[in-house]
């Protein structure tokens, strides 16, 4: 009794202690119940709501800042979307593997989303629609894990509390893809059989079971195409079933996660499971003004050489010495794109985007001066020390990612109408039944939808006009190598879904990328004698301790080494390479 009084004296007031003393007899007679009540944290729930668990799992997909180091350092660098920043150069650009970075997607998805989804699925058998949505997202995340690492735990993952399984076996990629098709088919059929609402849905689908059905079928199309080189008959069968069942048919059906226009939270938010902000955009913006994301020369030249109207919607030149770190601001990310283009033209120079393995200060540019940049000169006339910094001017000379793609409220792409059209275009070239239309018409629809997607979800100004889209399509037909044409466009589309961009590049072997064997070493960490693009990430080192038998079995299936150059089951050939390594200088204006 005295201990109880001391507890409340320490936490509250003498009045509470007096009240406890006057009721001492009653408390003694029911002390077990009273102590149980006292020791129960009323701020914690005894059982999680499966809808809330769905919300957490969906938002974590792109909203977990701590796992985005893997995206910035490897997953967006290997497919040559971005280059020039220290992180992407030190890791992807140098083929330098560091366990603390490569393991983060694995650690965080299993720790948070997979565990929540498995638990919620177990506890939602009486909610048919919610249960199906939970299972569909489990498939989505497991596919990301499998496409990133290879054989991974799935069917036994997350069952520690439910079934006591603490060392889950690794399912093979082949087994997983068979399960994906079975699970998505079952979920599509289950949706609409219940009366429950999917209230935890924070995607563009808004709990609409008809849209979830289309989304599930579109995922089946994606995964069917993924296995088309290794099991073409199964791929054709699953693809055609998905199309027949009904798939995403317009931009109104696009499936993406909605994020909030809130301040960046960085690692503190991740530690608190605050996933409301699009953390991919957040990490691409960079944690300080010296680390913006620069567009890789591979992407830049692809856009430039085809007169793609997305070129300067994706690439911009910013002087950003005083930019906000709360979220991207238009005021101090001073846009000097027009000034730099005029400067380059006046000097008969081309753009100088960064090559893989090179930082922005490699192959040092002869930077413009403040006098060459009229917009910046106005700022420098007020504060020369801040706005005439030669390092920041030189950095601004490299094409960077438009901050419109780095806003906290940018969508987290799951599956778009544009991707569906590209998948149908390639399927049509294989002679599969795509429900009507030929490869050319689906390719054109995909290009149009992918450009309109930027207008709908990213660009805050200077949107791409119908006339620009029409001109690009007219000048860039499907051509003699439709697989290359289609998948190069799919690669551009997936810039803000780089895990899918990297996976589809490995599957299709397009676009042709820069030959990394010709890279110049620039003083970073080089531990890999094989400089070709890695085709998977290595397993977390701790797996060898905590799940050693299953880990070893997975390694043995790869030939005995955890090799990130070992292709996955569905990856049948090396990615194509460009015949020449891009020079540090791009297309000149004299051409």
């Amino acid at each position: 009794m005295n201990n109880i009084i001391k507890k409340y004296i320490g936490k509250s007031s003498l009045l509470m202690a007096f009240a406890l003393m006057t009721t001492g007899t009653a408390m003694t007679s029911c002390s077990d119940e009273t102590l149980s009540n006292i020791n129960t944290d009323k701020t914690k729930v005894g059982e999680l709501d499966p809808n809330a668990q769905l919300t957490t799992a969906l938002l974590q997909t792109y909203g977990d800042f701590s796992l985005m180091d893997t995206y910035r350092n490897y997953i967006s660098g290997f497919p040559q979307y971005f280059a020039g920043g220290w992180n992407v150069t030190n890791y992807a650009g140098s083929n330098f593997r560091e366990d603390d970075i490569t393991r983060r997607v694995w650690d965080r998805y299993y720790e948070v989303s997979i565990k929540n989804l498995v638990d919620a699925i177990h506890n939602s058998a009486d909610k048919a629609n919610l249960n199906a949505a939970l299972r569909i997202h489990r498939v989505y995340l497991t596919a990301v894990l499998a496409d990133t690492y290879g054989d991974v735990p799935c069917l036994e993952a997350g069952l520690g509390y439910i079934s006591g399984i603490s060392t889950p076996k690794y399912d093979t990629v082949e087994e997983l893809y068979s399960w994906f098709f079975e699970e998505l088919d079952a979920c599509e059929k289950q949706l609409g059989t219940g009366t429950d609402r999917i209230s935890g849905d924070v995607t563009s689908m808004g709990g609409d079971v008809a849209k979830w059905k289309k989304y599930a079928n579109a995922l089946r199309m994606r995964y069917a195409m993924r296995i088309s080189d290794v099991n073409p008959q199964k791929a054709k069968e699953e693809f055609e079933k998905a199309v027949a069942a009904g798939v995403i048919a317009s931009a109104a059906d696009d499936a993406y996660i909605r994020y909030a226009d809130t301040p960046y939270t960085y690692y503190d938010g991740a530690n608190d499971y605050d996933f409301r902000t699009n953390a991919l955009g957040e990490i691409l913006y960079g944690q300080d003004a010296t680390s913006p994301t620069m567009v890789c020369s591979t992407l830049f030249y692809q856009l430039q050489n085809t007169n793609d109207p997305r070129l300067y919607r994706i690439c911009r030149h910013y002087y950003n010495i005083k930019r906000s770190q709360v979220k991207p601001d238009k005021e101090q990310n001073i846009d000097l794109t027009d000034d730099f283009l005029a400067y380059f033209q006046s000097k008969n120079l081309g753009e100088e985007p960064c090559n893989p393995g090179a930082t922005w200060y490699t192959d040092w540019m002869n930077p413009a001066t403040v006098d060459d940049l009229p917009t910046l000169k106005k700022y420098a006339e007020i504060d020369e020390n801040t706005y005439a910094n030669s390092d920041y001017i030189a950095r601004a000379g490299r094409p960077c990612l438009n901050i419109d793609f780095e806003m906290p409220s940018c969508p987290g792409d799951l599956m778009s109408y544009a991707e569906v059209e590209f998948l149908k275009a390639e399927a049509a070239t294989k002679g599969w039944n795509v429900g009507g239309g030929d490869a050319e018409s689906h390719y054109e629809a995909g290009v149009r939808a992918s450009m309109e997607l930027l207008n709908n979800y990213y660009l805050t100004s200077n949107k791409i006009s119908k006339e620009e889209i029409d001109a690009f399509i007219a000048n860039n037909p499907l051509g003699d190598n439709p697989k290359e044409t289609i998948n190069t466009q799919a690669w551009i589309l997936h810039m803000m879904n780089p895990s899918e961009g990297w996976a589809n590049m490995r599957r299709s072997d397009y676009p042709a990328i820069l030959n990394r064997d010709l890279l110049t070493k620039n003083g970073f960490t080089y531990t890999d004698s094989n400089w070709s693009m890695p085709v998977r990430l290595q397993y977390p080192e701790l797996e060898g301790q905590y799940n050693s038998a299953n880990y070893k079995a997975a390694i043995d299936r790869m030939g005995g080494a955890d090799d990130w150059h070992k292709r996955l089951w569905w990856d049948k050939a090396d990615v194509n390479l460009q015949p020449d390594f891009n020079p540090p200088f791009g297309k000149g204006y004299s051409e």
Side-chain angles (χ1 to χ4, degrees):
M1 183 68 194
N2 288 335
N3 289 336
I4 296 173
I5 294 171
K6 287 178 182 177
K7 174 182 178 181
Y8 279 94
I9 288 175
K11 294 184 70 176
S12 182
S13 65
L14 288 172
L15 181 61
M16 176 60 76
F18 179 75
L20 288 169
M21 291 172 64
T22 61
T23 58
T25 303
M27 288 188 65
T28 302
S29 65
C30 57
S31 58
D32 289 344
E33 179 183 353
T34 302
L35 289 174
S36 177
N37 289 335
I38 290 171
N39 290 319
T40 299
D41 187 347
K42 300 295 178 59
T43 67
K44 303 293 190 296
V45 296
E47 185 176 309
L48 292 173
D49 177 0
N51 268 298
Q53 290 173 289
L54 175 63
T55 299
T56 298
L58 286 168
L59 289 176
Q60 193 206 11
T61 309
Y62 287 90
D64 187 344
F65 189 80
S66 63
L67 67 80
M68 287 302 160
D69 277 310
T70 312
Y71 275 76
R72 173 179 60 183
N73 296 357
Y74 294 109
I75 295 175
S76 67
F78 288 152
Q80 300 186 6
Y81 286 119
F82 307 122
W86 185 90
N87 290 282
V88 71
T89 302
N90 186 61
Y91 295 101
S94 304
N95 272 19
F96 171 49
R97 187 258 179 166
E98 185 173 303
D99 180 66
D100 183 55
I101 306 298
T102 56
R103 64 180 173 83
R104 293 192 182 191
V105 170
W106 176 293
D107 285 357
R108 292 294 287 184
Y109 278 165
Y110 278 120
E111 174 189 326
V112 182
S113 286
I114 297 298
K115 185 166 64 176
N116 268 284
L117 288 168
V118 170
D119 182 71
I121 291 165
H122 180 73
N123 292 315
S124 61
D126 60 336
K127 300 177 178 65
N129 298 324
L130 171 60
N131 180 267
L134 289 161
R135 290 160 59 195
I136 290 167
H137 198 53
R138 183 189 179 197
V139 168
Y140 179 92
L141 290 180
T142 303
V144 172
L145 288 163
D147 291 344
T148 301
Y149 296 97
D151 299 353
V152 296
C154 174
L155 299 183
E156 292 183 356
L159 291 173
Y161 179 77
I162 296 169
S163 303
I165 298 174
S166 58
T167 54
K169 72 178 182 70
Y170 287 41
D171 301 291
T172 69
V173 174
E174 182 175 5
E175 291 167 344
L176 287 170
Y177 269 79
S178 292
W179 179 75
F180 294 163
F181 297 129
E182 293 170 5
E183 188 73 344
L184 290 171
D185 182 49
C187 290
E188 192 272 341
K189 289 180 171 63
Q190 182 174 305
L191 283 163
T193 63
T195 59
D196 62 296
R197 292 179 57 247
I198 312 174
S199 60
D201 183 7
V202 289
T203 73
S204 56
M205 294 176 283
D208 185 331
V209 295
K211 289 189 175 183
W212 274 90
K213 280 175 170 283
K214 293 179 182 180
Y215 168 52
N217 289 325
L219 286 178
R220 289 173 70 188
M221 293 173 64
R222 174 189 287 174
Y223 303 143
M225 188 60 71
R226 189 89 84 235
I227 69 168
S228 59
D229 288 338
V230 69
N231 193 341
Q233 185 57 42
K234 176 68 171 175
K236 178 178 184 291
E237 174 187 326
E238 292 294 338
F239 193 98
E240 292 181 348
K241 283 181 180 178
V243 171
V247 298
I248 291 172
S250 72
D253 295 331
D254 284 348
Y256 58 87
I257 301 161
R258 298 182 187 274
Y259 288 96
D261 186 17
T262 57
Y264 287 160
T265 58
Y266 300 104
Y267 293 107
D268 288 341
N271 292 338
D272 293 337
Y273 295 172
D274 182 352
F275 304 141
R276 293 172 295 168
T277 292
N278 186 316
L280 175 60
E282 184 177 4
I283 207 161
L284 292 178
Y285 185 62
Q287 290 149 275
D288 61 69
T290 65
S291 59
T293 289
M294 295 163 196
V295 175
C296 181
S297 57
T298 310
L299 176 57
F300 184 91
Y301 291 142
Q302 171 61 37
L303 298 172
Q304 184 185 66
N305 293 340
T306 56
N307 292 314
D308 194 312
R310 288 169 290 194
L311 175 60
Y312 287 110
R313 271 73 173 209
I314 291 173
C315 306
R316 306 299 292 175
H317 292 269
Y318 295 112
Y319 188 95
N320 59 6
I321 195 169
K322 291 184 69 176
R323 72 178 196 173
S324 169
Q325 285 304 126
V326 175
K327 60 182 179 179
D329 63 302
K330 300 283 188 178
E331 292 74 27
Q332 288 299 327
N333 283 285
I334 302 169
D335 194 328
L336 302 178
T337 306
D338 291 343
D339 290 22
F340 268 105
L341 293 183
Y343 167 73
F344 293 147
Q345 189 166 14
S346 72
K347 301 296 184 181
N348 198 30
L349 297 172
E351 288 266 23
E352 298 181 39
C354 296
N355 284 327
T359 60
W360 66 270
Y361 50 83
T362 306
D363 299 317
W364 189 263
M365 302 166 61
N366 285 321
T369 67
V370 69
D371 290 329
D372 298 314
L373 307 167
T375 302
L376 188 61
K377 186 174 183 180
K378 293 177 183 177
Y379 287 85
E381 288 171 351
I382 301 171
D383 183 354
E384 184 175 4
N385 288 335
T386 299
Y387 295 104
N389 184 301
S390 59
D391 280 358
Y392 277 87
I393 292 175
R395 188 183 289 108
R398 305 286 193 184
C400 288
L401 181 63
N402 185 341
I403 61 173
D404 282 355
F405 293 88
E406 301 166 341
M407 293 297 175
S409 58
C410 282
D413 175 52
L414 297 172
M415 173 62 74
S416 67
Y417 168 60
E419 181 179 353
V420 166
E421 286 298 316
F422 288 138
L423 290 169
K424 285 186 175 183
E426 185 170 359
T429 69
K430 297 175 181 292
W432 297 357
N433 184 349
V434 298
D438 58 13
E440 186 81 44
S441 66
H442 286 295
Y443 161 72
E444 292 180 3
V447 170
R448 190 175 302 280
S450 64
M451 294 192 186
E452 290 173 347
L453 182 144
L454 300 193
N455 289 344
N456 293 338
Y457 307 131
Y458 294 100
L459 299 177
T460 59
S461 61
N462 190 28
K463 299 195 175 188
I464 306 170
S465 70
K466 180 180 181 300
E467 290 73 23
E468 289 175 296
I469 298 173
D470 290 343
F472 177 84
I473 291 172
N475 293 321
N476 294 275
L478 198 53
D480 296 331
N481 188 347
K483 185 176 184 181
E484 178 179 19
T485 305
I486 293 164
N487 286 291
T488 297
Q489 289 302 311
W491 171 69
I492 299 170
L493 168 68
H494 289 309
M495 180 183 74
M496 295 306 292
N497 183 358
S499 61
E500 180 56 30
W502 185 35
N504 192 61
M505 172 184 283
R506 287 173 284 154
R507 190 275 307 174
S508 69
D509 305 317
Y510 288 108
I513 58 174
L514 299 185
N515 185 349
R516 294 161 53 87
D517 287 332
L518 301 178
L519 285 172
T520 301
K521 293 186 178 181
N522 293 297
F524 287 88
T525 308
Y526 307 101
T527 57
D528 189 350
S529 59
N530 182 348
W531 274 51
S532 64
M533 179 189 75
V535 291
R536 57 177 289 271
L537 293 185
Q538 290 161 303
Y539 294 125
E541 291 174 0
L542 286 177
E543 280 291 292
Q545 297 180 36
Y546 297 143
N547 194 6
S548 57
N550 292 306
Y551 166 81
K552 184 179 183 303
I555 297 299
D556 288 344
R557 288 193 291 269
M558 286 192 289
D562 190 0
D563 183 2
W564 67 355
H565 294 289
K566 180 71 173 179
R567 294 197 300 264
L568 302 186
W569 168 72
W570 46 254
D571 183 0
K572 298 300 291 180
D574 292 334
V575 67
N576 287 284
L577 301 176
Q578 296 181 12
D580 298 307
F581 194 73
N582 280 342
F585 299 95
K587 177 180 175 182
Y589 282 93
S590 61
E591 295 182 15

